[in-house]
Coordinates of all heavy atoms in Angstrom, one line a residue:
M1 N 20.9 71.1 45.4 CA 20.7 72.5 45.6 C 19.6 73.0 44.6 O 19.6 72.6 43.4 CB 22.0 73.2 45.2 CG 21.9 74.7 45.2 SD 23.4 75.5 44.8 CE 24.4 75.2 46.2
H2 N 18.7 73.8 45.0 CA 17.7 74.4 44.2 C 18.2 75.6 43.5 O 18.5 76.6 44.1 CB 16.5 74.7 45.1 CG 15.3 75.1 44.3 ND1 14.6 74.3 43.4 CD2 14.6 76.3 44.3 CE1 13.6 75.0 42.9 NE2 13.6 76.1 43.4
W3 N 18.2 75.6 42.2 CA 18.8 76.7 41.4 C 17.8 77.9 41.1 O 18.2 78.9 40.8 CB 19.4 76.2 40.1 CG 20.6 75.4 40.3 CD1 20.8 74.1 40.6 CD2 22.0 76.0 40.4 NE1 22.1 73.8 40.8 CE2 22.9 74.9 40.7 CE3 22.4 77.3 40.3 CZ2 24.2 75.1 40.8 CZ3 23.8 77.4 40.4 CH2 24.7 76.4 40.7
A4 N 16.6 77.6 41.1 CA 15.6 78.6 40.8 C 15.3 79.6 41.9 O 15.2 79.1 43.1 CB 14.3 78.0 40.3
I5 N 15.4 80.8 41.6 CA 15.0 81.8 42.7 C 13.7 82.4 42.2 O 13.7 83.2 41.3 CB 16.1 82.9 42.8 CG1 17.5 82.3 43.1 CG2 15.8 83.9 43.9 CD1 18.7 83.2 43.0
P6 N 12.6 82.1 42.9 CA 11.3 82.5 42.4 C 11.1 84.0 42.3 O 11.7 84.7 43.2 CB 10.3 81.9 43.4 CG 11.1 81.3 44.5 CD 12.5 81.3 44.1
N7 N 10.3 84.5 41.4 CA 9.9 85.9 41.3 C 11.1 86.8 40.9 O 11.0 88.0 41.2 CB 9.2 86.3 42.5 CG 8.0 85.6 42.8 OD1 7.3 85.1 41.9 ND2 7.7 85.3 44.0
F8 N 12.2 86.3 40.4 CA 13.3 87.2 40.0 C 13.6 86.9 38.5 O 13.7 85.7 38.1 CB 14.5 87.0 40.8 CG 14.5 87.6 42.2 CD1 14.1 86.9 43.3 CD2 14.7 89.0 42.4 CE1 14.0 87.5 44.5 CE2 14.6 89.6 43.6 CZ 14.3 88.8 44.7
P9 N 13.9 87.9 37.7 CA 14.3 87.7 36.3 C 15.6 86.9 36.3 O 16.4 86.9 37.3 CB 14.6 89.1 35.7 CG 13.9 90.0 36.7 CD 13.8 89.3 38.0
Y10 N 15.8 86.2 35.2 CA 17.0 85.3 35.1 C 18.3 86.0 35.3 O 19.2 85.5 36.0 CB 17.0 84.6 33.7 CG 18.1 83.6 33.6 CD1 18.1 82.4 34.3 CD2 19.2 83.8 32.7 CE1 19.1 81.4 34.2 CE2 20.2 82.9 32.6 CZ 20.2 81.7 33.3 OH 21.2 80.8 33.2
H11 N 18.5 87.2 34.8 CA 19.7 87.9 34.9 C 20.0 88.3 36.4 O 21.2 88.3 36.8 CB 19.8 89.2 34.0 CG 18.9 90.3 34.4 ND1 17.6 90.3 34.2 CD2 19.2 91.4 35.1 CE1 17.1 91.4 34.7 NE2 18.0 92.1 35.3
V12 N 19.0 88.5 37.2 CA 19.1 88.8 38.6 C 19.5 87.5 39.3 O 20.4 87.5 40.2 CB 17.8 89.4 39.2 CG1 18.0 89.6 40.7 CG2 17.5 90.7 38.5
Q13 N 18.9 86.4 38.9 CA 19.3 85.1 39.5 C 20.8 84.9 39.3 O 21.5 84.4 40.1 CB 18.5 84.0 38.9 CG 17.0 84.2 39.3 CD 16.2 83.0 38.8 OE1 16.7 81.9 38.7 NE2 14.9 83.3 38.4
C14 N 21.3 85.2 38.1 CA 22.7 85.0 37.8 C 23.6 85.8 38.6 O 24.6 85.3 39.1 CB 23.0 85.2 36.3 SG 22.2 84.0 35.2
I15 N 23.2 87.1 38.8 CA 24.0 88.0 39.7 C 24.1 87.4 41.1 O 25.2 87.4 41.7 CB 23.4 89.4 39.7 CG1 23.6 90.0 38.3 CG2 24.1 90.2 40.8 CD1 22.8 91.3 38.1
V16 N 23.0 86.9 41.6 CA 22.9 86.3 43.0 C 23.9 85.1 43.0 O 24.6 84.9 44.0 CB 21.5 86.0 43.4 CG1 21.5 85.2 44.7 CG2 20.7 87.3 43.5
R17 N 23.8 84.3 42.0 CA 24.6 83.0 42.0 C 26.1 83.3 41.9 O 26.9 82.7 42.6 CB 24.2 82.2 40.8 CG 22.8 81.5 41.0 CD 22.4 80.7 39.9 NE 21.0 80.3 40.0 CZ 20.1 80.4 39.1 NH1 20.4 80.9 37.9 NH2 18.9 79.9 39.4
I18 N 26.5 84.3 41.2 CA 27.9 84.8 41.1 C 28.3 85.3 42.5 O 29.4 85.0 43.0 CB 28.1 85.8 40.0 CG1 27.9 85.2 38.6 CG2 29.5 86.4 40.1 CD1 27.9 86.1 37.5
R19 N 27.5 86.2 43.1 CA 27.8 86.8 44.3 C 28.0 85.7 45.5 O 28.9 85.8 46.3 CB 26.7 87.8 44.7 CG 27.1 88.6 46.0 CD 26.0 89.6 46.3 NE 26.0 90.6 45.2 CZ 25.0 91.3 44.7 NH1 23.8 91.1 45.3 NH2 25.1 92.2 43.8
H20 N 27.2 84.7 45.4 CA 27.4 83.6 46.4 C 28.3 82.5 45.9 O 28.4 81.4 46.6 CB 26.0 83.0 46.7 CG 25.1 84.0 47.5 ND1 25.3 84.3 48.8 CD2 24.1 84.8 47.0 CE1 24.4 85.2 49.2 NE2 23.6 85.5 48.1
E21 N 29.0 82.7 44.8 CA 30.0 81.8 44.3 C 29.4 80.4 44.0 O 30.0 79.4 44.1 CB 31.2 81.7 45.2 CG 31.9 83.0 45.4 CD 33.1 82.9 46.3 OE1 33.3 81.8 46.9 OE2 33.8 83.9 46.4
W22 N 28.1 80.4 43.5 CA 27.5 79.2 43.1 C 27.8 78.9 41.6 O 27.9 77.7 41.2 CB 26.0 79.3 43.2 CG 25.4 79.4 44.6 CD1 26.1 79.1 45.8 CD2 24.2 79.9 45.0 NE1 25.3 79.4 46.9 CE2 24.1 79.9 46.4 CE3 23.1 80.3 44.3 CZ2 23.0 80.3 47.2 CZ3 22.0 80.7 45.1 CH2 21.9 80.7 46.5
I23 N 28.1 79.9 40.9 CA 28.6 79.7 39.5 C 29.9 80.7 39.3 O 30.0 81.7 40.1 CB 27.6 80.0 38.4 CG1 27.0 81.5 38.6 CG2 26.5 79.0 38.5 CD1 26.0 81.8 37.5
A24 N 30.7 80.4 38.4 CA 31.9 81.1 38.2 C 31.7 82.4 37.3 O 32.3 83.5 37.6 CB 33.1 80.3 37.7
T25 N 31.0 82.2 36.3 CA 30.8 83.3 35.3 C 29.3 83.5 35.0 O 28.5 82.5 35.2 CB 31.5 83.1 34.0 OG1 31.0 81.9 33.4 CG2 33.0 83.0 34.2
N26 N 28.9 84.6 34.5 CA 27.5 84.9 34.2 C 27.2 84.3 32.8 O 27.8 84.8 31.8 CB 27.3 86.4 34.2 CG 25.9 86.8 34.0 OD1 25.0 86.0 33.7 ND2 25.5 88.0 34.3
P27 N 26.3 83.4 32.7 CA 26.0 82.8 31.4 C 25.3 83.8 30.4 O 25.3 83.6 29.3 CB 25.1 81.6 31.7 CG 24.6 81.8 33.1 CD 25.6 82.7 33.7
M28 N 24.8 84.9 31.0 CA 24.1 85.9 30.2 C 25.1 86.6 29.2 O 24.7 87.2 28.3 CB 23.4 86.9 31.1 CG 22.2 86.3 31.8 SD 20.9 85.5 30.8 CE 20.2 87.0 30.1
T29 N 26.4 86.5 29.6 CA 27.4 87.2 28.7 C 27.5 86.5 27.3 O 28.0 87.1 26.4 CB 28.8 87.2 29.4 OG1 29.2 85.9 29.7 CG2 28.7 88.1 30.6
L30 N 27.0 85.3 27.3 CA 27.1 84.5 26.0 C 25.9 84.8 25.1 O 25.9 84.4 24.0 CB 27.1 83.0 26.4 CG 28.3 82.5 27.3 CD1 28.1 81.0 27.6 CD2 29.6 82.8 26.6
V31 N 24.9 85.5 25.6 CA 23.7 85.8 24.8 C 24.1 86.9 23.8 O 24.6 88.0 24.2 CB 22.6 86.2 25.7 CG1 21.4 86.6 24.9 CG2 22.2 85.1 26.6
R32 N 23.8 86.7 22.5 CA 24.1 87.7 21.5 C 23.0 88.8 21.6 O 21.8 88.6 21.7 CB 24.0 87.1 20.1 CG 24.5 88.0 19.0 CD 24.4 87.3 17.7 NE 23.1 87.0 17.2 CZ 22.4 88.0 16.5 NH1 22.9 89.2 16.3 NH2 21.1 87.7 16.1
Q33 N 23.5 90.0 21.6 CA 22.6 91.2 21.6 C 22.4 91.7 20.2 O 23.2 91.5 19.3 CB 23.2 92.3 22.5 CG 23.3 91.9 23.9 CD 23.9 93.0 24.8 OE1 24.1 94.1 24.3 NE2 24.0 92.8 26.1
S34 N 21.3 92.4 20.0 CA 20.9 92.9 18.7 C 21.9 94.0 18.4 O 22.6 94.6 19.2 CB 19.5 93.4 18.7 OG 19.3 94.4 19.6
A35 N 22.0 94.3 17.1 CA 22.9 95.4 16.6 C 22.4 96.8 17.2 O 21.3 97.0 17.5 CB 22.9 95.5 15.2
K36 N 23.4 97.6 17.4 CA 23.1 98.9 18.0 C 22.4 99.8 16.9 O 22.6 99.6 15.7 CB 24.4 99.6 18.4 CG 25.1 98.9 19.5 CD 24.3 98.9 20.8 CE 25.1 98.2 21.9 NZ 24.3 97.7 22.9
R37 N 21.5 100.6 17.3 CA 20.8 101.5 16.4 C 21.8 102.5 15.8 O 22.6 103.1 16.5 CB 19.7 102.3 17.2 CG 18.9 103.2 16.4 CD 17.8 103.9 17.2 NE 16.9 102.9 17.7 CZ 15.9 103.2 18.4 NH1 15.7 104.4 18.9 NH2 15.0 102.2 18.8
E38 N 21.7 102.7 14.5 CA 22.6 103.5 13.8 C 22.3 105.0 13.8 O 23.2 105.8 13.8 CB 22.7 103.0 12.3 CG 23.4 101.7 12.2 CD 23.5 101.3 10.7 OE1 23.4 102.1 9.8 OE2 23.8 100.1 10.5
K39 N 21.0 105.3 13.9 CA 20.6 106.7 14.0 C 19.4 106.8 14.9 O 18.7 105.8 15.2 CB 20.2 107.3 12.6 CG 19.0 106.6 12.0 CD 18.6 107.4 10.7 CE 17.2 106.9 10.4 NZ 16.5 107.9 9.6
L40 N 19.3 108.0 15.5 CA 18.2 108.3 16.4 C 16.9 108.3 15.6 O 16.8 108.8 14.5 CB 18.4 109.6 17.1 CG 19.5 109.5 18.1 CD1 19.7 111.0 18.7 CD2 19.3 108.6 19.2
P41 N 15.8 107.9 16.2 CA 14.5 107.9 15.4 C 14.0 109.4 15.4 O 14.4 110.2 16.2 CB 13.6 107.1 16.3 CG 14.2 107.1 17.7 CD 15.6 107.2 17.4
D42 N 13.2 109.6 14.3 CA 12.6 111.0 14.2 C 11.5 111.1 15.1 O 10.6 110.2 15.1 CB 12.1 111.2 12.7 CG 13.3 111.3 11.7 OD1 14.4 111.7 12.1 OD2 13.1 110.8 10.6
V43 N 11.4 112.1 15.9 CA 10.4 112.3 16.9 C 9.7 113.7 16.7 O 10.4 114.7 16.5 CB 11.0 112.2 18.3 CG1 9.9 112.4 19.4 CG2 11.7 110.9 18.5
L44 N 8.4 113.7 16.7 CA 7.7 115.0 16.5 C 7.7 115.8 17.8 O 7.7 115.2 18.9 CB 6.2 114.7 16.2 CG 5.9 114.0 14.8 CD1 4.4 113.8 14.7 CD2 6.4 114.9 13.7
E45 N 7.9 117.1 17.6 CA 7.8 118.0 18.7 C 6.3 118.1 19.1 O 5.4 117.8 18.3 CB 8.3 119.4 18.4 CG 9.8 119.4 18.0 CD 10.7 119.2 19.2 OE1 10.2 119.5 20.4 OE2 11.7 118.6 19.1
L46 N 6.0 118.6 20.3 CA 4.6 118.7 20.7 C 3.7 119.5 19.8 O 2.6 119.2 19.4 CB 4.5 119.3 22.2 CG 3.1 119.4 22.8 CD1 2.4 118.0 22.8 CD2 3.2 119.9 24.2
D47 N 4.2 120.7 19.4 CA 3.5 121.5 18.4 C 3.2 120.8 17.1 O 2.1 120.9 16.5 CB 4.2 122.8 18.1 CG 4.3 123.7 19.4 OD1 3.4 123.6 20.2 OD2 5.2 124.6 19.4
E48 N 4.2 120.1 16.6 CA 4.0 119.3 15.4 C 3.0 118.2 15.5 O 2.1 118.0 14.6 CB 5.3 118.7 14.9 CG 6.5 119.6 14.6 CD 7.8 118.9 14.3 OE1 8.2 118.1 15.1 OE2 8.5 119.3 13.4
L49 N 3.0 117.6 16.7 CA 2.0 116.5 16.9 C 0.6 117.2 17.0 O -0.4 116.6 16.4 CB 2.3 115.8 18.2 CG 1.3 114.7 18.6 CD1 1.3 113.6 17.5 CD2 1.7 114.1 20.0
K50 N 0.5 118.3 17.6 CA -0.9 118.9 17.7 C -1.4 119.3 16.4 O -2.6 119.1 16.1 CB -0.8 120.2 18.6 CG -0.7 119.9 20.1 CD -0.5 121.2 20.9 CE -0.4 120.9 22.4 NZ -0.3 122.1 23.2
K51 N -0.5 119.9 15.5 CA -0.9 120.3 14.2 C -1.3 119.0 13.3 O -2.3 119.0 12.6 CB 0.2 121.0 13.4 CG 0.5 122.4 14.0 CD 1.7 123.0 13.3 CE 2.0 124.3 13.9 NZ 3.2 124.9 13.3
L52 N -0.6 117.9 13.5 CA -0.9 116.7 12.8 C -2.2 116.2 13.2 O -3.1 115.8 12.4 CB 0.2 115.7 13.0 CG 0.0 114.3 12.4 CD1 -0.2 114.4 10.9 CD2 1.0 113.3 12.7
L53 N -2.5 116.1 14.5 CA -3.7 115.6 15.0 C -4.9 116.5 14.6 O -6.0 115.9 14.3 CB -3.7 115.5 16.5 CG -2.8 114.4 17.1 CD1 -2.7 114.5 18.6 CD2 -3.2 113.0 16.7
A54 N -4.7 117.8 14.5 CA -5.8 118.7 14.0 C -6.2 118.4 12.6 O -7.4 118.7 12.2 CB -5.4 120.1 14.3
E55 N -5.3 118.0 11.8 CA -5.5 117.8 10.4 C -6.2 116.4 10.1 O -6.8 116.2 9.0 CB -4.2 117.8 9.6 CG -3.6 119.2 9.6 CD -4.4 120.2 8.8 OE1 -5.0 119.9 7.7 OE2 -4.5 121.4 9.3
L56 N -6.0 115.4 11.0 CA -6.5 114.1 10.7 C -7.9 113.8 11.2 O -8.3 114.4 12.2 CB -5.6 113.1 11.4 CG -4.1 113.0 10.9 CD1 -3.3 112.1 11.8 CD2 -4.1 112.5 9.5
G57 N -8.6 112.9 10.6 CA -9.9 112.5 11.1 C -9.7 111.0 11.5 O -8.7 110.4 11.3
N58 N -10.7 110.6 12.2 CA -10.7 109.2 12.8 C -10.9 108.2 11.6 O -11.5 108.5 10.6 CB -11.8 109.0 13.8 CG -11.3 109.5 15.1 OD1 -10.2 109.5 15.5 ND2 -12.3 110.1 15.9
P59 N -10.3 107.0 11.6 CA -9.5 106.4 12.7 C -8.0 106.8 12.7 O -7.3 106.4 13.7 CB -9.7 104.9 12.4 CG -9.8 104.8 11.0 CD -10.5 106.1 10.5
A60 N -7.5 107.5 11.7 CA -6.1 107.8 11.6 C -5.7 108.7 12.8 O -4.6 108.5 13.4 CB -5.8 108.6 10.3
R61 N -6.6 109.6 13.2 CA -6.3 110.5 14.4 C -6.1 109.6 15.6 O -5.1 109.8 16.4 CB -7.3 111.5 14.6 CG -7.1 112.5 15.7 CD -8.2 113.5 15.8 NE -7.9 114.6 16.7 CZ -7.8 114.6 18.0 NH1 -8.2 113.6 18.6 NH2 -7.5 115.7 18.7
A62 N -6.9 108.7 15.8 CA -6.9 107.8 17.0 C -5.6 107.0 17.0 O -4.9 106.8 18.0 CB -8.1 106.9 17.1
L63 N -5.2 106.5 15.8 CA -4.0 105.7 15.7 C -2.8 106.5 15.9 O -1.9 106.1 16.7 CB -4.0 105.1 14.3 CG -2.7 104.2 14.0 CD1 -2.8 103.0 14.9 CD2 -2.8 103.7 12.5
V64 N -2.7 107.7 15.4 CA -1.6 108.6 15.7 C -1.5 109.0 17.1 O -0.4 109.0 17.8 CB -1.6 109.8 14.8 CG1 -0.5 110.9 15.1 CG2 -1.4 109.4 13.3
F65 N -2.6 109.3 17.7 CA -2.6 109.7 19.1 C -2.1 108.5 20.0 O -1.3 108.7 20.9 CB -4.0 110.1 19.6 CG -4.1 110.6 21.0 CD1 -3.6 111.9 21.4 CD2 -4.5 109.7 22.0 CE1 -3.7 112.2 22.7 CE2 -4.5 110.1 23.3 CZ -4.1 111.4 23.7
L66 N -2.7 107.3 19.7 CA -2.3 106.1 20.5 C -0.8 105.9 20.3 O -0.1 105.5 21.4 CB -3.1 104.9 20.0 CG -2.7 103.6 20.6 CD1 -3.1 103.6 22.1 CD2 -3.3 102.4 19.9
T67 N -0.3 106.0 19.1 CA 1.1 105.7 18.9 C 2.0 106.7 19.6 O 3.0 106.3 20.2 CB 1.4 105.8 17.4 OG1 0.6 104.9 16.7 CG2 2.8 105.4 17.1
A68 N 1.6 108.0 19.6 CA 2.4 109.0 20.3 C 2.3 108.9 21.8 O 3.3 109.1 22.5 CB 1.9 110.4 19.9
A69 N 1.2 108.5 22.3 CA 1.0 108.4 23.8 C 1.7 107.2 24.4 O 2.1 107.3 25.5 CB -0.5 108.4 24.1
T70 N 1.8 106.1 23.6 CA 2.3 104.9 24.1 C 3.7 104.5 23.7 O 4.3 103.7 24.3 CB 1.4 103.7 23.8 OG1 1.3 103.5 22.4 CG2 -0.1 103.9 24.3
G71 N 4.1 105.1 22.6 CA 5.5 104.8 22.1 C 5.5 103.6 21.2 O 6.5 103.0 21.0
L72 N 4.3 103.2 20.7 CA 4.3 102.1 19.8 C 5.2 102.3 18.6 O 5.2 103.5 18.1 CB 2.9 101.8 19.3 CG 1.9 101.1 20.3 CD1 0.5 101.1 19.7 CD2 2.4 99.7 20.6
R73 N 5.8 101.3 18.1 CA 6.5 101.4 16.8 C 5.4 101.4 15.7 O 4.3 101.0 15.9 CB 7.4 100.2 16.5 CG 8.5 100.2 17.5 CD 9.4 98.9 17.2 NE 10.5 98.8 18.1 CZ 10.6 97.9 19.0 NH1 9.7 97.0 19.2 NH2 11.7 97.9 19.8
V74 N 5.7 102.0 14.5 CA 4.8 102.1 13.4 C 4.3 100.6 13.1 O 3.1 100.5 12.9 CB 5.4 102.8 12.2 CG1 4.5 102.7 11.0 CG2 5.7 104.2 12.5
S75 N 5.2 99.7 13.0 CA 4.8 98.3 12.6 C 3.8 97.7 13.7 O 2.9 97.0 13.3 CB 6.0 97.4 12.5 OG 6.7 97.4 13.7
E76 N 4.0 98.1 14.9 CA 3.1 97.6 16.0 C 1.8 98.3 15.9 O 0.7 97.6 16.0 CB 3.8 97.9 17.4 CG 5.0 97.1 17.6 CD 5.8 97.6 18.9 OE1 5.6 98.8 19.2 OE2 6.5 96.8 19.5
A77 N 1.8 99.5 15.6 CA 0.5 100.3 15.5 C -0.3 99.8 14.3 O -1.5 99.6 14.4 CB 0.8 101.8 15.4
L78 N 0.4 99.5 13.2 CA -0.4 99.1 12.0 C -0.8 97.6 12.1 O -1.7 97.2 11.4 CB 0.6 99.2 10.7 CG 0.9 100.6 10.4 CD1 1.9 100.7 9.2 CD2 -0.3 101.4 10.1
G79 N -0.2 96.9 13.1 CA -0.7 95.5 13.3 C -1.9 95.4 14.2 O -2.4 94.3 14.4
L80 N -2.3 96.5 14.8 CA -3.5 96.5 15.7 C -4.8 96.1 14.9 O -4.9 96.5 13.7 CB -3.6 97.8 16.4 CG -2.6 98.2 17.4 CD1 -2.8 99.6 17.9 CD2 -2.5 97.2 18.5
K81 N -5.7 95.5 15.6 CA -7.0 95.2 14.9 C -8.0 96.2 15.5 O -8.1 96.3 16.7 CB -7.4 93.7 15.2 CG -6.5 92.7 14.6 CD -6.9 91.3 14.9 CE -5.9 90.4 14.2 NZ -6.2 89.0 14.4
W82 N -8.7 96.8 14.6 CA -9.7 97.8 15.0 C -11.1 97.3 14.9 O -11.4 96.7 13.8 CB -9.5 99.1 14.2 CG -8.2 99.7 14.3 CD1 -7.0 99.4 13.8 CD2 -7.9 100.9 15.2 NE1 -6.0 100.2 14.2 CE2 -6.6 101.1 15.1 CE3 -8.7 101.7 16.0 CZ2 -6.0 102.2 15.7 CZ3 -8.1 102.7 16.7 CH2 -6.7 102.9 16.6
S83 N -12.0 97.5 15.8 CA -13.4 97.2 15.6 C -14.1 98.4 15.0 O -13.7 99.5 15.1 CB -14.0 96.8 17.0 OG -14.1 98.0 17.7
G84 N -15.1 98.1 14.2 CA -15.8 99.1 13.5 C -16.9 99.8 14.3 O -17.7 100.5 13.8
R85 N -16.9 99.7 15.6 CA -17.9 100.2 16.5 C -17.7 101.6 16.7 O -16.7 102.2 16.9 CB -18.0 99.4 17.8 CG -18.4 98.0 17.6 CD -18.4 97.3 18.9 NE -18.4 95.9 18.6 CZ -18.5 95.0 19.6 NH1 -18.5 95.3 20.8 NH2 -18.5 93.7 19.2

């Protein structure tokens, strides 16, 4: 029997296998999940973001705009490599 179901994530493959009784339990239940977030992140309101962007010059302004527009974490944004062009 071929166990791989192409083009489907592993958890979906497990659901299909359980539904067709190819396996008895979902092995994904054994995967440890990360701890739950203890508090909600601080998020700027639109007016606050506009005021902040108005005060900043480049490249900080570009970094803050990119972070706000894409939802990057601070650590991810600070890890980006910038060209001097």
Side-chain angles (χ1 to χ4, degrees):
M1 175 182 290
H2 185 63
W3 285 92
I5 304 169
N7 301 323
F8 284 98
Y10 184 71
H11 71 280
V12 174
Q13 294 182 34
C14 290
I15 292 168
V16 170
R17 290 179 185 131
I18 291 170
R19 188 172 293 148
H20 291 284
E21 298 178 355
W22 296 341
I23 58 176
T25 60
N26 187 347
M28 295 301 287
T29 58
L30 302 174
V31 176
R32 187 179 73 83
Q33 295 182 359
S34 63
K36 300 292 181 203
R37 183 178 291 177
E38 293 183 14
K39 66 173 194 154
L40 292 175
D42 293 327
V43 179
L44 294 177
E45 297 292 330
L46 183 57
D47 290 340
E48 295 173 316
L49 179 61
K50 286 180 181 179
K51 288 177 185 176
L52 177 61
L53 290 172
E55 295 291 323
L56 295 173
N58 281 326
R61 183 179 194 279
L63 182 61
V64 170
F65 182 81
L66 176 69
T67 304
T70 62
L72 285 174
R73 296 180 179 109
V74 173
S75 60
E76 295 168 334
L78 294 176
L80 294 174
K81 295 182 180 177
W82 296 81
S83 69
R85 296 179 194 180

